[in-house]
Amino acid sequence: MLKMRSIALLLGFALVGWVGWYTYSYFFDATIPSLLITGIEQDTYYCGDIACCVASDKCGELSVWLDGTPLVSNFSVRSKNQEYPFTVPTKTISNGKHDLKIEFIDNTYHKNKKSLDRSFLVDNIPLQAAFVRTENDYKVLQGRTLHLQFQVNKEVKEAKVHALSQDYECFPESKNSPIYECFIPISCEETPNEYLLTVELKDRVGNELHLENRFQVVMFPFKKQFLQVSQDKLEEERRLADDMSSLEELLANLAKQSPREKLWRGNFCAPIDIAKITCEYGTVRTTKEKGRYIHRALDVINMPKSVVWATQDGVVVVKTRYANSGNTVVIDHGWGVLSLFFHLDSFANINVGQKIAKGNPIGTLGKTGYATGYHLHWEMRINNIPVDPLQWTKQNF
């Protein structure tokens, strides 16, 4: 009997303690409840129904709104850390941006409240794409650029072309354009043949699409040329300037660091009013100092010290002097497209890192570096592969 009374007394004390603690917590607890949501992230794309789950460290009432419309109303959460699953039905709402609001109010006297907001995007549109030109149009000469275009029905997260054992990034032709494009450099040494290319697309919700096509590399009859430069001039340039190997290393790094942004629009222009092309792109040269090599640029002339200008919008990334190229300017147009200008007599008032517009002066035509007379060495590189710059000035390119 005494034992039963002791147990009852202990239970009574426990009950009084619990009631006291509950009463104290109810009236004096002012801590904000925690609120955790899983299954949906801020500014992320989704398709199909989104399975979500909400939990709090307190008991109380849970409400959820989708674009201001109640999705869950005053659901009673009776235990701490109880998970409440719910579904966001994206198939019944429009594609585009939506807002989800979660609110939890605890059971205390103060009705402590915690809210979370999530903005997300819905994309239930099937991914579709098609080439702009027919298969017969995909022919390209050695040393030129294959300009590939395709149209998509919506913005994509990732687009690349696999060709010639390399991957090339694709990007919109202009801002918000449904036309995506890719520039594939064809080296002078590329074997004439028919090749397969694959376009790999992925949208914001992970849908993938592959397009396949073939292109043909056509042989080009490159010319030959013999060049001789005086030893005195070569020695003078070596004393005045940096070694050419440092420029090549710099250009390789610049191609990798090029902005993933198209800084130009439309066709390129020639850097001078060309009076004559003294050496065509891809000409096989023979010199006493360099032996036999391919000249992967155009040599063009006009009046000595005439103005040389930027061929397109971009950023000045090199302005210095090298033993072979003389006074040198390099402009980055984005997406790994670089324009190079060698042998300048003098520089214009430009600085590395400066944005430059098509037609702005970069210097004057000269004969510094490995040069026999006044001329401009005009070169273009895509991912550090030289291509014919004149092709980029054509209206049908």
Side-chain angles (χ1 to χ4, degrees):
M1 191 68 170
L2 183 61
K3 186 176 182 180
M4 293 295 292
R5 287 178 180 176
S6 298
I7 293 173
L9 189 60
L10 288 172
L11 288 173
F13 281 129
L15 180 62
V16 170
W18 180 83
V19 171
W21 174 252
Y22 178 82
T23 302
Y24 176 83
S25 298
Y26 176 78
F27 285 104
F28 297 102
D29 184 5
T31 59
I32 303 300
S34 68
L35 189 58
L36 176 68
I37 180 171
T38 57
I40 191 165
E41 301 293 335
Q42 180 72 19
D43 297 328
T44 302
Y45 281 80
Y46 295 92
C47 67
D49 292 340
I50 310 172
C52 304
C53 195
V54 179
S56 177
D57 61 347
K58 288 187 174 185
C59 302
E61 289 186 343
L62 175 71
S63 297
V64 181
W65 292 268
L66 176 60
D67 297 329
T69 301
L71 198 63
V72 178
S73 297
N74 302 323
F75 175 78
S76 180
V77 179
R78 299 183 182 276
S79 61
K80 295 179 180 180
N81 300 315
Q82 176 185 346
E83 294 185 346
Y84 177 77
F86 65 94
T87 300
V88 179
T90 69
K91 293 181 180 178
T92 62
I93 58 179
S94 62
N95 292 297
K97 190 172 183 178
H98 296 273
D99 296 303
L100 192 71
K101 182 177 181 180
I102 306 99
E103 185 177 86
F104 182 84
I105 302 175
D106 69 14
N107 288 335
T108 65
Y109 175 80
H110 294 288
K111 300 296 182 185
N112 302 305
K113 182 170 65 174
K114 176 70 173 182
S115 297
L116 285 178
D117 294 291
R118 289 286 187 274
S119 293
F120 65 98
L121 299 103
V122 172
D123 181 5
N124 283 311
I125 303 173
L127 179 59
Q128 297 176 337
F131 290 107
V132 171
R133 293 183 292 172
T134 63
E135 182 178 345
N136 293 332
D137 292 327
Y138 295 117
K139 292 183 179 180
V140 58
L141 293 168
Q142 290 173 306
R144 272 62 176 181
T145 306
L146 176 62
H147 184 196
L148 184 70
Q149 291 181 307
F150 53 91
Q151 185 168 354
V152 295
N153 63 328
K154 60 179 178 178
E155 183 183 2
V156 297
K157 180 181 180 180
E158 183 180 312
K160 62 182 179 181
V161 173
H162 185 77
L164 303 173
S165 301
Q166 298 289 330
D167 288 329
Y168 300 94
E169 294 181 87
C170 308
F171 43 88
E173 182 183 38
S174 58
K175 189 175 181 179
N176 300 322
S177 173
I179 305 294
Y180 278 66
E181 61 185 354
C182 180
F183 296 90
I184 302 173
I186 309 298
S187 69
C188 295
E189 295 93 339
E190 193 63 61
T191 304
N193 207 339
E194 186 176 70
Y195 296 91
L196 179 69
L197 63 82
T198 304
V199 180
E200 300 176 0
L201 303 170
K202 182 183 291 186
D203 67 12
R204 299 286 183 178
V205 293
N207 296 316
E208 296 184 1
L209 179 66
H210 290 186
L211 300 176
E212 289 190 350
N213 213 326
R214 295 183 178 275
F215 68 99
Q216 187 175 359
V217 175
V218 180
M219 181 181 290
F220 186 82
F222 295 112
K223 295 182 178 179
K224 295 181 180 180
Q225 184 184 64
F226 178 79
L227 186 67
Q228 187 171 356
V229 180
S230 72
Q231 288 297 319
D232 290 343
K233 189 172 193 318
L234 289 174
E235 290 300 324
E236 179 186 1
E237 292 296 336
R238 292 190 183 106
R239 288 194 303 270
L240 292 172
D242 296 333
D243 186 80
M244 199 66 181
S245 60
S246 61
L247 175 60
E248 289 299 332
E249 183 178 350
L250 176 59
L251 291 171
N253 290 329
L254 288 171
K256 295 176 183 177
Q257 299 165 8
S258 181
R260 306 342 271 168
E261 176 186 3
K262 187 178 179 182
L263 304 179
W264 81 95
R265 184 167 185 175
N267 294 92
F268 282 56
C269 68
I272 62 171
D273 289 326
I274 299 175
K276 184 180 179 181
I277 297 175
T278 56
C279 184
E280 295 182 1
Y281 177 86
T283 298
V284 180
R285 273 184 173 172
T286 303
T287 70
K288 182 179 179 181
E289 297 76 26
K290 292 185 178 183
R292 190 174 185 269
Y293 67 97
I294 298 175
H295 184 251
R296 305 171 195 274
L298 281 176
D299 282 352
V300 293
I301 62 172
N302 201 304
M303 293 295 294
K305 301 184 181 182
S306 56
V307 177
V308 178
W309 51 78
T311 53
Q312 253 295 357
D313 298 349
V315 176
V316 178
V317 290
V318 174
K319 175 196 170 186
T320 191
R321 184 163 181 160
Y322 293 93
N324 284 358
S325 59
N327 287 334
T328 302
V329 169
V330 179
I331 298 175
D332 188 344
H333 307 287
W335 289 113
V337 179
L338 303 177
S339 290
L340 290 66
F341 309 93
F342 293 175
H343 310 306
L344 299 173
D345 182 77
S346 62
F347 295 111
N349 185 23
I350 57 174
N351 296 297
V352 171
Q354 168 188 332
K355 289 184 178 179
I356 194 166
K358 179 180 179 179
N360 286 171
I362 60 171
T364 56
L365 191 143
K367 59 176 180 178
T368 56
Y370 191 81
T372 57
Y374 282 93
H375 75 283
L376 176 70
H377 171 107
W378 172 28
E379 184 175 339
M380 279 191 72
R381 298 191 185 189
I382 305 172
N383 295 344
N384 209 31
I385 298 176
V387 293
D388 183 5
L390 203 59
Q391 181 190 12
W392 286 64
T393 68
K394 307 298 183 183
Q395 289 298 321
N396 61 349
F397 174 60

